[in-house]
Amino acid sequence: MQRVVIVMPAWNEGESIAKMVDVLFNNEFPKIDAEMHLLIVDNHSQDGMTETVTKLTQKYKNLKIIQQENKGLGWAYVTGMEYAMKNLKADAILEMDADFQHPPRFVKPMVDAYLSGAEYVIGSRYVKGGSIPGQWELLRKAVSYFGNLFIRVVLLKPWIHDLTTGFRLAKVKGVLDKIDLRNLMELNRFAYKVDLLYQCMKFSKKTVEVPLQFEPRKTDRSKFNPKEMISTFKVAIILGIKDKIKFIKFAIVGGTGFIVNFIALRLFRNLGLTETLSWAFSTELAIVNNYIFNNIWTFKDQEIKGLKQTLVKFFQFNLTSAGALLIQSIAGPIGVRLVGVQYDALVLAFIVLFLVLPYNFTMYNLVIWRKKK
Ligand code: GDD
Ligand code: MN
């Protein structure tokens, strides 16, 4: 049977914690087809919560309370997740709030999604069947929705609707155990959540969204504020750029290749070479340029060294370039026939952007500068 651990940060939730524990163990866990555990991560609460939970651990053997090491919500999760993986041997971990904003009835559908093969399950407020509290004022609703939209665009994940939710389940093997939890960004803030989500999505082979009806907090003392929001956007922007750096370098090298091609063409012409030879030599020069700079800059972690390797790879690189030529000579005439010859510049731009660049980038990554296992 799969072992699922709910990691639940709780800080001065003495008022509601006993009810949360009882509802989970008595009403929800028995309905779920997995071995369920609840791990509460406390931050030295002052309101008696620690004692309440400690007493309940005698009643429920799958209940455990630990204290976090460093300050901040992110650290509560890191502490809890490490404990769940090492000490409880969790197969999957569910992040959940203690204040009933994540209603316990949504635990089962999350675990069910995991049991049917999902490696990362997002409790989503912005899919059909999910919701945010109706009584939230318009501004708060707008901030939540548009903040999410912004992050969806920046992270290039428009198909995921809720990237800031706090209700998520991740498989341990292959997903959570691949992530360097202690080095996530902004662990002392809520913003770490976006980084954690981004890393989980990178490793998860199947990510699904399950509806969540986010309830209002009974006594609203949410710690979420503009400072948290800004740091959340910051994390999203940094992540958005970080993974694209290779592509940006590749595009810059492509640009220098274009310039080399252009200048060399005129040079060879002026030297008196025939038109055909001028084109051929200048194109080959651009290919050499692109090979060298991609090798020492864009793909320097996989840099090709040694004479034999260089010759083999450079030959492959030329074949790849010939492939691009082929794509252009097939797609070009088709495009022109479709939209008319007066739009040939547009056709060229379209072909380069959507066919040649992705083709080259893929070939470079998968063939020429393939990562060694
Ligand atoms: N141990 C510990 N340490 N627990 C904490 C800490 C901390 O520093 N800060 C908050 N908690 C606990 C709270 O007791 C609660 O159970 C849970 O973490 C969430 O805290 P809230 O203060 O209730 O957060 P929120 O409701 O404003 O924020 C929710 O929405 C955000 C945005 O959608 C949460 O679900 C966030 O995770 C989510 O990012
Ligand atoms: Mn809350």
Side-chain angles (χ1 to χ4, degrees), residues 70-362:
N70 303 306
K71 274 205 160 60
L73 186 59
W75 280 109
Y77 273 113
V78 171
T79 310
M81 286 175 164
E82 286 182 347
Y83 189 91
M85 288 192 271
K86 275 193 216 110
N87 303 54
L88 301 177
K89 306 272 178 274
D91 294 306
I93 291 175
L94 173 66
E95 300 165 50
M96 183 175 178
D97 293 352
D99 57 1
F100 281 93
Q101 289 200 266
H102 300 151
R105 67 177 185 278
F106 289 101
V107 171
K108 181 173 159 54
M110 296 287 284
V111 178
D112 284 349
Y114 164 69
L115 294 175
S116 12
E119 299 196 336
Y120 193 47
V121 187
I122 299 175
S124 180
R125 301 162 293 179
Y126 297 110
V127 292
K128 198 161 175 272
S131 60
I132 50 175
Q135 61 260 61
W136 272 9
E137 52 189 292
L138 197 62
L139 180 70
R140 187 153 175 203
K141 283 182 183 163
V143 166
S144 177
Y145 183 79
F146 288 104
N148 244 300
L149 193 64
F150 175 80
I151 299 172
R152 283 161 75 186
V153 172
V154 171
L155 292 186
L156 295 181
K157 303 217 180 302
W159 60 90
I160 298 290
H161 301 81
D162 197 343
L163 295 167
T164 55
T165 176
F167 195 51
R168 310 177 303 199
L169 181 146
K171 185 177 175 174
V172 170
K173 195 162 180 281
V175 183
L176 276 180
D177 64 3
K178 295 258 184 228
I179 298 172
D180 183 6
L181 293 172
R182 287 173 176 263
N183 279 314
L184 289 173
M185 282 185 264
E186 305 273 344
L187 279 172
N188 52 341
R189 296 191 176 284
F190 282 68
Y192 85 93
K193 267 193 186 300
V194 177
D195 196 7
L196 182 55
L197 172 132
Y198 194 75
Q199 307 305 331
C200 285
M201 287 196 63
K202 198 151 85 187
F203 294 111
S204 155
K205 285 192 271 301
K206 187 179 172 202
T207 299
V208 299
E209 282 184 285
V210 166
L212 163 71
Q213 287 166 2
F214 195 56
E215 297 282 319
R217 211 185 216 281
K218 296 292 172 282
T219 46
D220 200 355
R221 52 185 178 97
S222 155
K223 295 155 200 92
F224 202 76
N225 55 41
K227 225 175 167 175
E228 299 289 354
M229 199 178 70
I230 289 166
S231 85
T232 301
F233 289 157
K234 195 182 87 189
V235 168
I237 291 170
I238 292 174
L239 287 171
I241 296 173
K242 222 182 188 173
D243 268 22
K244 275 118 220 141
I245 283 186
K246 204 170 239 173
F247 187 80
I248 294 168
K249 287 181 175 175
F250 155 83
I252 293 174
V253 171
T256 64
F258 179 81
I259 296 169
V260 166
N261 202 332
F262 187 75
I263 296 175
L265 179 64
R266 306 204 153 195
L267 210 75
F268 288 133
R269 258 192 211 133
N270 290 346
L271 287 175
L273 262 67
T274 66
E275 191 64 15
T276 310
L277 280 182
S278 301
W279 277 93
F281 285 160
S282 62
T283 305
E284 191 55 37
L285 218 59
I287 291 176
V288 171
N289 170 85
N290 290 2
Y291 180 81
I292 291 174
F293 286 107
N294 276 320
N295 192 39
I296 61 174
W297 192 45
T298 318
F299 296 95
K300 75 163 178 284
D301 352 328
Q302 277 86 240
E303 196 181 332
I304 298 157
K305 290 183 188 132
L307 184 66
K308 194 174 154 232
Q309 266 304 81
T310 302
L311 287 177
V312 171
K313 289 291 181 180
F314 182 63
F315 180 69
Q316 289 181 352
F317 192 80
N318 272 277
L319 284 184
T320 304
S321 307
L325 188 73
L326 193 69
I327 292 177
Q328 291 209 31
S329 22
I330 294 173
I334 296 178
V336 166
R337 197 166 311 148
L338 282 178
V339 297
V341 73
Q342 67 271 35
Y343 295 118
D344 60 347
L346 216 67
V347 170
L348 180 63
F350 186 89
I351 292 173
V352 168
L353 269 179
F354 294 103
L355 294 177
V356 173
L357 283 186
Y359 160 80
N360 275 338
F361 194 60
T362 311

